[in-house]
Amino acid sequence: MLDFFKHIFAKAEYDLDGEDFYKKFLEDGGNAVLLDVRTQNEYAMGTIKGSKNIDFYSNTFQDKINALDKNKTYYVFCRSGNRSGKACQLMTDKGMKAFNLDGGIGAWPG
């Protein structure tokens, strides 16, 4: 039973806390893409400078993710880290390199 709970609460390997996320983003330089997966309304209320918006709840989310450059590394965030974690799972399943900002936009230290 304990293994069951460990699996549920285990962090994915692409989950990074704010400091590690920011540090890795800076290290990747021109290969790094900030991706905000919140809704357009959330995005319009404020985001991390330089981020691109692809709404996780949009019907076109999968198509837009498929059109991204697979040679880039994606730094994905949302409000709390839940949607962006799911987006990272989808992206890594497609062979893309993606990291989730665990805790969401509020964890961004930059």
Side-chain angles (χ1 to χ4, degrees):
M1 186 72 140
L2 187 54
D3 288 337
F4 173 75
F5 288 110
K6 284 181 182 176
H7 176 73
I8 288 177
F9 297 109
K11 287 187 168 224
E13 62 187 50
Y14 45 75
D15 286 338
L16 299 176
D17 65 37
E19 293 294 329
D20 289 340
F21 185 93
Y22 183 66
K23 181 180 172 189
K24 196 160 183 56
F25 171 73
L26 292 177
E27 288 172 357
D28 274 341
N31 196 45
V33 177
L34 272 171
L35 187 60
D36 184 338
V37 295
R38 297 177 303 155
T39 65
Q40 288 183 342
N41 286 341
E42 289 173 310
Y43 183 77
M45 291 172 45
T47 188
I48 298 171
K49 186 177 179 181
S51 68
K52 175 182 175 117
N53 180 227
I54 299 178
D55 180 353
F56 181 78
Y57 294 132
S58 166
N59 291 336
T60 60
F61 180 77
Q62 291 275 352
D63 293 338
K64 290 180 178 177
I65 292 299
N66 288 335
L68 294 174
D69 183 348
K70 293 186 175 37
N71 295 313
K72 298 283 186 179
T73 302
Y74 295 91
Y75 292 83
V76 187
F77 64 94
C78 64
R79 184 180 55 82
S80 67
N82 187 33
R83 279 175 280 176
S84 52
K86 292 175 183 174
C88 284
Q89 179 65 58
L90 291 169
M91 294 170 78
T92 56
D93 288 349
K94 295 177 183 295
M96 303 171 77
K97 192 170 182 180
F99 294 101
N100 178 37
L101 178 55
D102 193 26
I105 192 170
W108 174 257

